Amino acid sequence: MAMDHLTGPGPRPPRALLDPAAGVREIKLRPHQMAEPVTPAADLFVLAHFGVPRIDAARWSLIINGLVGRAVSLDYDDLLRRPATTVEAVHQCCGSPIEPTVPTRRVANVCWRGVDLAALLDELGVDRRARFLWAYGLDGGAFGGVSCDWFVKDLPLERLAAGDVLLAYELNGAPLPPEHGFPVRLVVPGFYGTNSVKWLWRLHLAADRAESPFTTTFYNDRAVPEAIAAGQPARRPVWAIAPEAVTVSPAPNGEVSVGVPCAIWGWAWSCRGVSGVEVSVDAGASFARAVLEPRREWAWQRFSLTWWPSTRGAVQIQARAFDADGTSQPADGARNAVHSVLVTVT
Ligand SMILES: Nc1nc2c(c(=O)[nH]1)N[C@H]1C(S)=C(S)[C@@H](COP(=O)(O)O)O[C@H]1N2
Ligand SMILES: [Mo]
């Protein structure tokens, strides 16, 4: 149903009750605890800048407006009635926007189910001037010394063409828990978690990026001077996930036995998928190619390598992932810096 008021900035929904009414950062698993291929919802990290809105699905609706042929307001049942898509995808928090070069290894792999956004927008019609999708959450407040009415993110519409951007209402086969975005969140597989706006209330198509703290202030990486000299932009939005690997086993500070084969294994992922993983058992001095499982949809990929420890003492194990285009991970100074695990050979 098209509505006149949807062509403007849109009605302001009442501010949702936030419970808790303060930022949430629950990191439940360290890499050595990420044994499950699909992370149980109860083990999934929770990141919320302002708190957790408590929303009644019966009173919720989503506005889609801006550079669309037909602006609409959809309620929860409208979305449930549409064809559903299920997508398995790695889900990663890029870390603190205040410390963008600190690795945090907040990562999981989950199944989302919801409405395919590209198909929905096709039905509404997309104006050819539209280049960005702005997504609004029902939470807002002060963060990092600035304040905003709503948590707003934007992403290039080009990403929708690659498929599987969802208006998700299920996580691992059950309705989204409140802390993960109930009733409906955006899910952008292959992009860092910050782009997957929870507690959605508005999508707006525009020719330009959205001006807001979480689009053009925070979550923009600074290029190094050499990259700028080579023509790269000085600031780059934190969108596509860079290649990364974590070692699940052996666990840090564990003991392995000399002469006994040890299975080194873990997960590797990147926006475009991982083409290879290399493992080092000498603190990065040399690397050997690991066995890598193929990718399912947007999921992380298992790597493994059998190692025969031959001398006693401390060993630093590292794993590095290679992107489809051959780029790998920096040794340090980046959110996707190589993960190291220290073990003792006894
Ligand atoms: N509305 C809203 N969406 C949000 C956030 C938020 O604070 N508000 N945090 C983002 C960040 S930084 C991350 S990493 C993911 C975390 O999703 P999860 O808590 O469901 O694991 O949600 C993103 N979506
Ligand atoms: Mo995040």
Side-chain angles (χ1 to χ4, degrees), residues 233-250:
R235 308 256 285 155
R236 201 166 51 168
V238 178
W239 284 332
I241 298 178
E244 193 168 337
V246 290
T247 297
V248 175
S249 186

Side-chain angles (χ1 to χ4, degrees), residues 45-49 91 93 139 151 180 185 193-194 196 198-199:
F45 57 81
V46 180
L47 268 299
H49 291 83
H91 180 52
C93 172
D139 51 334
F151 181 82
H180 294 297
R185 77 181 295 170
T194 180
S196 290
K198 304 193 271 192
W199 315 295

